[in-house]
Every structure is written in C-alpha cells, then in structure tokens.
Amino acid sequence: MRYHRPNLDVLAHTILIIGALIFMLPVVLAVLASTQTPGALFSGTLPLWFGGSGLEHYLTLLSEPVRGVGVPAWQLMLNSLLMALGIAIGKLVFAILAAYALVFFRFPFRRCCFWLIFVTLMLPIEVRIVPTYGVVADLGLLDSYPGLVLPLIASATATFLFRQFFMTLPPELMEAARVDGAGPWRFFIDILLPLSRTNIAALFVIMFIYGWNQYLWPLVAMSSADHATVVMSLKRLTISMDGTPPWHLATAMTVLALLPPVVVIVLMQRWFIKGLVDTEK
Amino acid sequence: MARLELRRLRKRYSGSTDVLHDIDLSIDDGEMIVVVGPSGCGKSTLLRMVAGLEAISSGELVIDGECVNDQEPAERDIAMVFQNYALYPHMSVFDNLAYSLKNRGTPKAEIAQRVEATAQLLDIGALLERKPRQLSGGQRQRVAMGRAVIRKPRVFLFDEPLSNLDASLRVQMRQEIRALQQRLNITSLYVTHDQTEAMTMADRLVVMNAGRVEQVGTPMALFRKPATRFVAGFIGSPAMNFLTFSVNTLPDWLPRVPAETNEPLKGELSVGIRPEHIALTTLEDGHIEGCIELVEPLGSESLVHVRIGGHDARLVVRHGGMELPEVGQVTGLNFQGPFHLFDRHGQRLSTRLRLADTNCSMES
Amino acid sequence: MAPQLLIVLVFFFWPAITALRQSLYVQDAFGLGETFAGLANFTRVLASQSYHEALFNTAIFSVSVALGAMGIALLLATMADRVLRASRVYRTLLIWPYAVAPAAAGVLWMFMFDPTLGVLSRALAALGVHWDFRLNGHQAMALVIIAAIWQQMSYNFVFFLAGLQGIPASLLEAAAIDGAGPWRRFWTITFPLISPTSFFLLVMNTIYAFFDTFGTIDTTTSGGPGGATRTLVYKLYQDGIVGLDLGGSAAQSVLLMLMVGLLTLVQFRYVERRVQYH
C-alpha cells in the first residue's frame, strides 16, 4: 500500500521531527533552566545549555522544606507515589472483581449495578468536588491517605475495560473449567487472572499516571503538608508577589513532578497503548 | 462406564416457549449415541443439560440409577470436548491435561503418570510443553480429547468437536475418536449437524428437529426406514427426493397397498425416492419425464438434476454411467423403489396405517 | 462487586445527591441554617454575569483545545502512518506528554511564556508583540490553550495512529488503482473511515478541556487576569471551596453534571452503534 513517493516520505519525516522537537522543547528548556544558578537565570541569558548549578536545586528541593509547602520534596514525591499506587491498585482490584461479577454471574439488579457504575464513568471528581469534600469531611478522612485515595477509586473506566476483555473470552472456557471441577473462585484465580495479565499491566500504567497527576482533589482535601503531593505543590513555586517566580526551583520541581510518570509511560509503552486504545472499544 | 437415562427432559427459557420437549433417551454402557439435526434444533442444549451447564426445566437425568439434575458438572463425572476446544490459552498442554486432576487433589506423581499415559494414547507426547496457540488445529483437537480422556469419566460429551477442522482432517479424526471411544468403552453422547459424521460414528443415531426427537435407531435402520419425512430428508446424501400427490391422483407406477385401517387417506401424500433408486431411461420406458438442468460429475458417478414439469419439482438422480447426459436433454425417469410414503403431517404411512405385508415394494 | 458499589455509592452518589439537595437550598451566612429556595440558586447562577463569562471562556477554551489538539495529532499521525517502519519511534517521541500532569504542563509553558525570562515571549517581543499574560486576558487564554493542546495532543495521536493503521490497506490500494492521489485518498477514504475515532476524540477532548485542565489553569493564571481564564470548573471551585457559596456551587455542580451527562449519553449512543459494526 505504501507507494514509492520519496518526496512525501521526506516531508513526513521532516514534519514528524519538527513536531517531536516542538513537543520536547518545553521540557528541555525546563531541565536546562533547572541547572542554572539563579543569578545566571535572572540575568536574562537564554538557558541553552546546562548551567552552573548542576543538580544543586534538585538536592535542595529534596532535602530542605520546600518554600510555601513546609516539607521536603522527597516527602511530596513519596505521598504522590502512595496516592498513585493506592489509586492504581485500588481501581484495579475493584474493577476486576466488579467486571468478573458483571460478566460471569447472573444476579438481581445486575443491569442496575451496571448503570450505577457506568454513570460514574464520565462524571469526574471536579464536578462533585464540593459535596465530595463534605462527605469525606463527615467521614473524618480529610488529611489522610484513605481520604486522598478512596474518592478517586470511584470511577468506572477500568471496570469497563475488564468487562470488555472478559466478554471476548469464549464462554466455553468457563464451562470447561466447571467440567474440570473448578469453582468460581478457582476459575478466577487459575484462568481469568493469568489471562488478564496484559490488561492489568495496561491499566496499571494508565491509572498510575492518572493517580500521580491528580491536582484538584489533593489540593482541596489535603490541607496539611504531611499529605501534600508534588503535583499539587507546584503552584507554591509559581505564584510570587514580585511577578517573577523562582524559576530555578519551579522548573526543578516540575521536572521532579513529571519524571516518574514519564518514565513509566516510556518503559511500559506497549501496555499503555494497548490499554488506552482498548478502553475506547 | 455408565448407563445414561434421559426421562422427559424439558428445557424452557423464562418467558419463551419450550426449546426441548420431553426428550426420552436411554444410553447403554459403552454406547456411542450421536445426536444429529439442523442448527437450532436443540441438540446442543440437550448436550449442555446433560453436562450440567444448562439447568433442567423438568424431567430427570439419571446416570447409573442416580438422578443428577442438581449436581454440578464436575460432580457428574462427565468430560466434554467443546467445539472450539476451550483449551486454557495460558497453560501448557501438560497443565491443560492436568488441570482437572489438580482440582481433584490428585497426587503429583499420579498426575504426571496419567498425563504421560494419555499423551501416549493420543500421540501428543512431544507437545506437552507447548501452549495451545503453538498447536495446529488437529493437535488442539487431540489435546481437547486428552483433557476428556485423562479423567476416566463415566460419560463423554462431544459438542461438534470436528467442525473447526478441514475436510480431510475431519475424516481422520472421526475415525480416531470412534476407535478411541470403542477402545476405552466409555458411554458417549456426540452432537453434530453433519449427517455423514453421524452415520459413520454412531452405534445409534438420534435425529432431532425443532426441539423434539424425530427418531432413534441404528444408522442403517434410520436410512432404510425413516419414521418421518424430516428424517428421510436429513439422513442420506444426496438427500432423498420427494414428489407430492393428492390421494385421488396417485400415479400408476406407485404400487397400491391395501390399508388395514378404517381411516381413509386424506389430502396429499409425499413420496420419497432416494437418488440411487431412480434411473435415467428413454422417454418410452420412463414412469415420468423431465428436462436435465444440471450435471455434477463426481468421478465414479454423477448427480443429474432433472426438472419435472408437472410437479414443479427437481429430482436428483445418481447416475453411474461414465458418459454424461447432456444438459437440456429431455429424459425418461424410471423409479425402482423402495418408496417412502409420508402423510401430510410428515409421518411415515407404513407405521400409521399398518400397511399389509403382502406388498413388499412399499417397504424397504 | 460489593465494595466497588459501596465506594461508588458513598463517594459518588452521596455527593451527587448532596449537590442536588444543596442546589435547592440557601445557606445563611454562618452556615448554621438553611432554607428551601426552589430553583433560586439556579436562576441566580444562570443570571449572573460571571457565569456567562465562565461559560463563554469554557466554550472558547474547549473548542480551541479540541480542534488544536486533534488537528495537530491527525497531521502527525498521518505522517507517522506513512513512514510505517519508523512510526513506533515517533510514537515514543510523541506520546510522553500524556504522562505529564496538566498542572506541570501549565508550569512548563508558563516558563516558556514568562514575560521577562521566557523564550517565546522574547521571540514575540522581537516581533513587536508585547507579551504579558499576567495583564492581558487574551494572552492568558492563549497560554492555557497552548499548554492544554500540548498535553492532550499525544492522547489523540495514539488513537489516530491506531485508527489509521486499522484501515484495510486494500481500500487504499483500490483507491490508488482508481486513480486517486495521496491527497484525494486522504479526504475521500481515510478521513471518512476514521470519523468514528474523530468523534470519540471530540467528546474525550471536550471532557478533558472541561475538567482535567483545572491544574493547568490554577498553576498558571488562577483564572485571571480579571476572570479571563475562569472556566466553569474553575468558577465552581472558587465559589464553592474558596467562596463557600454552597447553594450556588451546588447549582453549578448540577448544571455541569447535566452537561457531562449529555456528553455521556452521546458517547454511549456512539459506543452502541460501534458495537453493531463489529
């Protein structure tokens, strides 16, 4: 199908390379800026190469309390990691069990449950932020890890992906397992879980990124520095009274905030693509 | 080894009519019963009810004198070969074979030894480490067989196990399955829509149509004396020809039979004649004449399709001659019997009307 | 099953119902009592100038982000689909912005556009454009739009590339034999065939622009200057969390839920239709 049109190929490569460079530019500039000494940065020279500070700003951020936050960045990163893992694992566990029940069991109100979960699919937490805050406050979960994670588990994307996947499995597989003497739980452990490995990996990537990048909910519900995350703390370094933020720190902090999910997505690209494209079906 | 009895089995899905009506069947120890019928006739549902994968709406399923209606599939001690094999894709052949034994808590040493023996039996010893996706269709079929055999179940169930194979492999596998079943002497219920497969494999055949059993019997009995027009048309290839007559205008060539009944024949009759019982002949010698529409040479014989003017029917004739008749030619047809007569409800007349034995040409 | 339902009920339906209830009540200034107000909250919200502005901002923002992110993604995906072998390399080079938090994306572009230090603002100054998004509302909007497009493009790229690679080669071969050049083939064959993907992405991009970009806006412009980048969600946050206007924010929540519900419905109908294709 690909026709021999060398000119078009050259054009395609050119456009793609320019595109890739433009998309990389902001991060490259941020990385370069984060290594500049404040003096060099604010004197107005363009940060076109690594500056004199090296990793100094990163070490400062990680070891000393971050301005306006009160805890060092390693604590923020740890909180982010806990939140991201909590959300990713929580969603996966609930989703796979719910999808298993929805697909393989007949029970009363099955359709109703399906709809309950479906409706949550597209109603992001931002819409219900105020009343959710009220509910979490009533439960006494403000400024706690469960309060950080639980409201974000209540979403249905993962359930749908698993449901979709389970429905592609031939029903004979479960019947064969029944004939072979495997009960529902054994079937789940022996057959369904091993078969879902790639889906689990794919969803883990997506959910980890989703969890790590949460902004509004931690901002609203985690007022104490002990539970602050790195993404929600970014703003502390970008607002400033005199107009120009401490960019040497802000860029370093941004790099810290984007590094873990970007590493995850690049390393696990194959699963990520699969998971992303499959959710659409 | 077991006797299997189906007593007035019925299947009804909520809110709809019955899909199976009062199925009665008794299967002897070691017998191979093939259930055959068109798609949607309920044969697979019947098999799945026996397996315990579908609930029984009413009636009794009895294995060795014990009613197993409420038992789980695994408790019934049956094994099933699925149409798509349903091999566990993430397990090796060894694990696929061993799975049911593991679930039963069989000791490891015994599992290994039984897998070994089964693999040898089915000639899949070299494949034990492979995953199902690395196997060919025929090999998967063997593994599926092995998974059933290894358990030494009381009953084998086969759900169209050969329909995913290509034609030549199908012929080979049906012979192997039959040989294996006879060797192990395990009571078997085999479902297929392919009448050749059914004829060649069965001790006894069950022909089903629209949720009912049409007839039960040995392949030859069903071929020679189909109880209904449906069975007559379903068993035998190429299929039986039918001509329809009003009782008042029965043709001269159809032998008259004195009926020992008070009930006079009414309405229309179907006369069935197998393609091998019709001969092409000259116009003068023929019982009837028609125009040749299509000739299908098969080598040793040919199938000649003849359009019969007055009946708006097309008859298929099995023609043994080496020279082929020409399309468009008008030919005479000679009916040589036996004839199969069916009333307007499709029931065989000889059974309903108790025809006299004196005229044997009615009967096969 | 049960725990998932419980969480859905507690953290989703309870808040949703609370919002519905609160939207019908007016709280007194001290949060001590409340009185039933019927649809007063809704009429108040719908009549307010600032809600209109937020609605307008959201519309501009969403349309720009959806069109920009989809247009660029389609262009790049078409190119990547052409250079078959290298497409995976380009995919790796282009998908990672998806993993960047919207808030972080905001900071990155804010740095690029920093009025005194930013690379782009200096380039603009060289062109004679005075750039300060802290003072100029249009420039602030442009900043958040660009940051959002940058972040969302990779998502669209993945889907467009998958969609393009799913088009049977024989169709394009047939078109080529019928004498259609690359340009024509794209508009008469490829484009119609990926329209389901485009439609799906349109809905997803709208939802992204509505909600996920909160972080982008908050870290960069905080809705300013003068409310120029205050979208519906941002206003909801400001009124509800910062301003503690429970009734008003609840009414906004309900209105937003209706909008998303509508989008969900459209999406679902589309999903149903797609299922029938298969």
Side-chain angles (χ1 to χ4, degrees):
Chain A
M1 177 225 117
R2 316 290 140 164
Y3 319 91
H4 198 64
R5 291 258 192 135
N7 291 343
L8 275 183
D9 282 350
V10 169
L11 179 70
H13 281 293
T14 311
I15 291 177
L16 283 165
I17 288 167
I18 290 174
L21 287 178
I22 290 176
F23 273 84
M24 257 183 274
L25 186 66
V27 175
V28 170
L29 281 179
V31 170
L32 293 176
S34 69
T35 63
Q36 307 288 332
T37 57
L41 191 62
F42 292 105
S43 72
T45 42
L46 274 178
L48 292 180
W49 192 243
F50 294 104
S53 284
L55 295 176
E56 194 186 304
H57 303 316
Y58 291 94
L59 295 174
T60 311
L61 282 172
L62 288 170
S63 56
E64 290 165 28
V66 176
R67 188 190 80 151
V69 184
V71 295
W74 70 262
Q75 171 100 50
L76 300 175
M77 306 264 298
L78 183 68
N79 285 341
S80 281
L81 182 70
L82 288 174
M83 174 174 73
L85 286 178
I87 290 173
I89 294 170
K91 271 185 193 257
L92 280 174
V93 169
F94 287 128
I96 199 165
L97 288 173
Y100 176 52
L102 280 173
V103 173
F104 289 98
F105 292 93
R106 304 274 167 275
F107 53 90
F109 308 118
R110 197 170 75 115
R111 267 206 88 70
C112 188
C113 292
F114 178 78
W115 277 104
L116 277 183
I117 293 174
F118 183 80
V119 174
T120 65
L121 179 62
M122 291 239 170
L123 227 40
I125 189 159
E126 284 83 359
V127 184
R128 54 198 154 90
I129 189 83
V130 180
T132 304
Y133 179 83
V135 168
V136 173
D138 289 346
L139 294 174
L141 292 176
L142 291 178
D143 280 320
S144 74
Y145 289 115
L148 191 56
V149 168
L150 284 179
L152 294 165
I153 291 181
S155 128
T157 327
T159 312
F160 272 79
L161 179 76
F162 281 121
R163 177 174 168 272
Q164 218 64 44
F165 170 65
F166 290 164
M167 292 198 315
T168 65
L169 295 175
E172 285 87 352
L173 222 48
M174 187 188 205
E175 295 173 352
R178 274 179 79 186
V179 172
D180 278 347
W185 188 239
R186 264 211 105 92
F187 170 71
F188 181 72
I189 300 284
D190 286 350
I191 316 281
L192 225 43
L193 273 188
L195 286 177
S196 310
R197 268 189 317 225
T198 30
N199 287 282
I200 291 174
L203 269 176
F204 180 82
V205 180
I206 293 176
M207 294 311 171
F208 181 86
I209 290 170
Y210 168 86
W212 181 279
N213 291 341
Q214 280 306 307
Y215 182 81
L216 179 55
W217 176 245
L219 186 69
V220 168
M222 302 296 126
S223 52
S224 85
D226 290 342
H227 294 92
T229 68
V230 61
V231 172
M232 72 175 253
S233 305
L234 283 175
K235 193 183 181 182
R236 308 280 182 178
L237 293 170
T238 59
I239 42 172
S240 62
M241 296 306 119
D242 57 0
T244 303
W247 277 120
H248 56 294
L249 293 176
T251 48
M253 183 84 153
T254 308
V255 172
L256 288 179
L258 64 78
L259 205 55
V262 167
V263 167
V264 167
I265 204 176
V266 170
L267 291 184
M268 299 181 75
Q269 191 190 157
R270 198 163 62 82
W271 291 286
F272 164 73
I273 302 278
K274 183 181 158 29
L276 202 61
V277 177
D278 278 2
T279 40
E280 184 224 4
K281 287 183 190 134
Chain B
M1 318 290 135
R3 264 186 68 81
L4 187 64
E5 272 178 85
L6 284 58
R7 295 182 189 150
R8 298 178 67 82
L9 278 193
R10 189 182 282 233
K11 179 71 189 177
R12 179 183 301 127
Y13 292 108
S14 57
S16 71
T17 48
D18 294 3
V19 291
L20 285 179
H21 311 265
D22 293 342
I23 306 292
D24 276 304
L25 186 65
S26 138
I27 307 174
D28 271 334
D29 197 7
E31 193 177 22
M32 175 78 139
I33 293 281
V34 178
V35 182
V36 66
S39 57
C41 72
K43 57 188 190 300
S44 280
T45 309
L46 179 69
L47 190 81
R48 293 162 56 81
M49 282 163 78
V50 174
L53 299 171
E54 296 268 0
I56 294 170
S57 304
S58 73
E60 272 194 322
L61 176 67
V62 177
I63 301 179
D64 277 340
E66 181 195 5
C67 174
V68 297
N69 278 25
D70 299 324
Q71 287 184 356
E72 270 290 294
E75 298 169 321
R76 296 185 186 189
D77 198 12
I78 45 112
M80 184 155 171
V81 179
F82 292 87
Q83 179 172 3
N84 60 6
Y85 317 135
L87 299 177
Y88 310 120
H90 58 297
M91 294 186 191
S92 66
V93 170
F94 184 99
D95 289 331
N96 264 285
L97 294 177
Y99 190 59
S100 65
L101 300 178
K102 277 184 192 154
N103 285 338
R104 269 148 229 265
T106 314
K108 267 211 160 95
E110 193 191 334
I111 291 181
Q113 178 238 319
R114 270 166 78 173
V115 169
E116 193 60 40
T118 308
Q120 208 169 9
L121 183 72
L122 286 154
D123 199 20
I124 50 175
L127 311 175
L128 287 177
E129 297 309 313
R130 296 211 198 155
K131 294 273 173 68
R133 65 166 181 280
Q134 299 165 305
L135 304 177
S136 70
Q139 289 168 334
R140 284 180 207 182
Q141 167 67 45
R142 278 163 201 270
V143 175
M145 283 291 297
R147 202 170 61 175
V149 167
I150 196 164
R151 291 241 316 272
K152 301 175 185 159
R154 292 193 290 183
V155 181
F156 269 167
L157 303 174
F158 298 89
D159 187 6
E160 310 216 15
L162 302 181
S163 55
N164 283 353
L165 300 179
D166 61 45
S168 64
L169 204 52
R170 208 178 306 166
V171 172
Q172 182 198 338
M173 284 310 296
R174 86 180 178 219
Q175 292 160 1
E176 286 190 22
I177 291 178
R178 180 63 167 145
L180 192 69
Q181 187 267 336
Q182 283 177 331
R183 189 163 140 206
L184 301 172
N185 196 33
I186 293 180
T187 313
S188 301
L189 195 56
Y190 187 111
V191 160
T192 179
H193 65 269
D194 179 339
Q195 65 94 23
T196 316
E197 206 172 293
M199 293 280 282
T200 50
M201 296 183 76
D203 287 321
R204 280 191 298 152
L205 266 180
V206 177
V207 179
M208 286 186 64
N209 182 31
R212 292 174 203 279
V213 171
E214 292 271 334
Q215 193 175 4
V216 182
T218 64
M220 284 320 284
L222 262 61
F223 184 79
R224 285 165 56 198
K225 252 191 193 176
T228 64
R229 197 191 135 145
F230 178 82
V231 176
F234 198 81
I235 301 291
S237 172
M240 187 184 281
N241 297 298
F242 293 102
L243 288 170
T244 311
F245 298 99
S246 157
V247 279
N248 305 320
T249 59
L250 288 177
D252 297 337
W253 46 265
L254 192 67
R256 290 301 190 277
V257 190
E260 288 181 351
T261 174
N262 300 328
E263 192 187 330
L265 280 176
K266 270 190 289 195
E268 297 197 318
L269 290 184
S270 279
V271 177
I273 313 150
R274 293 210 180 271
E276 51 269 40
H277 298 144
I278 308 177
L280 296 180
T281 179
T282 58
L283 285 175
E284 303 85 68
D285 290 348
H287 290 134
I288 197 169
E289 63 177 61
C291 178
I292 296 177
E293 276 196 340
L294 177 68
V295 179
E296 297 177 293
L298 299 175
S300 59
E301 61 182 19
S302 307
L303 300 182
V304 181
H305 299 249
V306 183
R307 165 79 53 194
I308 308 298
H311 290 269
D312 192 29
R314 195 155 105 158
L315 299 187
V316 179
V317 178
R318 216 169 199 162
H319 180 65
M322 277 295 141
E323 67 276 15
L324 302 180
E326 262 176 60
V327 172
Q329 190 188 334
V330 177
T331 180
L333 295 176
N334 197 300
F335 302 122
Q336 296 159 340
F339 301 99
H340 304 266
L341 253 68
F342 302 97
D343 68 13
R344 61 202 154 98
H345 306 296
Q347 295 298 313
R348 187 181 184 86
L349 276 177
S350 52
T351 50
R352 276 203 48 206
L353 298 179
R354 276 180 248 109
L355 293 178
D357 288 339
T358 47
N359 193 322
C360 58
S361 58
M362 277 300 285
E363 304 271 353
S364 45
Chain C
M1 192 71 212
Q4 162 120 1
L5 273 184
L6 192 71
I7 285 187
V8 166
L9 287 174
V10 171
F11 293 105
F12 175 75
F13 280 95
W14 189 2
I17 289 164
T18 315
L20 210 57
R21 205 188 66 86
Q22 278 179 349
S23 70
L24 301 175
Y25 284 80
V26 175
Q27 277 78 17
D28 67 33
F30 304 102
L32 296 174
E34 52 181 21
T35 43
F36 185 74
L39 295 177
N41 284 322
F42 288 95
T43 49
R44 181 163 59 88
V45 164
L46 286 173
S48 77
Q49 177 74 29
S50 65
Y51 194 76
H52 294 166
E53 280 170 15
L55 197 62
F56 177 75
N57 289 340
T58 309
I60 294 281
F61 181 67
S62 306
V63 170
S64 311
V65 170
L67 290 186
M70 287 172 68
I72 297 172
L74 183 57
L75 172 70
L76 292 177
T78 312
M79 295 303 136
D81 184 45
R82 236 202 110 69
V83 294
L84 204 55
R85 259 175 312 241
S87 69
R88 293 187 61 136
V89 178
Y90 287 118
R91 200 175 63 184
T92 312
L93 288 175
L94 287 169
I95 61 162
W96 57 269
Y98 175 86
V100 176
V107 179
L108 290 176
W109 283 92
M110 190 181 167
F111 177 58
M112 304 263 290
F113 277 119
D114 185 273
T116 51
L117 299 178
V119 178
L120 293 176
S121 43
R122 276 189 240 180
L124 286 169
L127 293 172
V129 179
H130 177 70
W131 178 274
D132 190 345
F133 68 86
R134 289 192 178 87
L135 301 173
N136 183 323
H138 294 299
Q139 292 179 355
M141 180 58 98
L143 169 65
V144 288
I145 288 174
I146 290 172
I149 289 177
W150 178 82
Q151 214 254 316
Q152 183 65 2
M153 195 290 296
S154 49
Y155 181 86
N156 298 340
F157 177 79
V158 168
F159 278 96
F160 274 134
L161 188 58
L164 290 171
Q165 292 182 338
I167 294 177
S170 58
L171 279 178
L172 293 165
E173 284 164 356
I177 290 167
D178 285 345
W183 185 251
R184 236 192 130 68
R185 277 201 301 273
F186 178 81
W187 288 111
T188 55
I189 312 286
T190 310
F191 193 71
L193 283 176
I194 53 163
S195 65
T197 308
S198 311
F199 180 73
F200 166 79
L201 287 176
L202 189 63
V203 176
M204 295 311 284
N205 280 274
T206 310
I207 287 175
Y208 165 81
F210 262 58
F211 303 110
D212 295 348
T213 50
F214 178 89
T216 317
I217 295 172
D218 194 42
T219 48
T220 52
T221 65
S222 301
T229 53
R230 191 190 291 134
T231 57
L232 289 172
V233 169
Y234 205 85
K235 181 171 165 53
L236 168 63
Y237 162 76
Q238 282 188 326
D239 292 356
I241 301 285
V242 184
L244 291 176
D245 169 12
L246 290 186
S249 77
Q252 291 180 40
S253 268
V254 171
L255 289 171
L256 261 179
M257 282 185 212
L258 286 178
M259 291 182 212
V260 194
L262 206 67
L263 276 176
T264 312
L265 202 71
V266 171
Q267 178 82 330
F268 188 60
R269 291 198 72 98
Y270 149 84
V271 167
E272 256 183 339
R273 232 194 12 230
R274 255 183 74 91
V275 166
Q276 285 165 1
Y277 288 153
H278 290 297

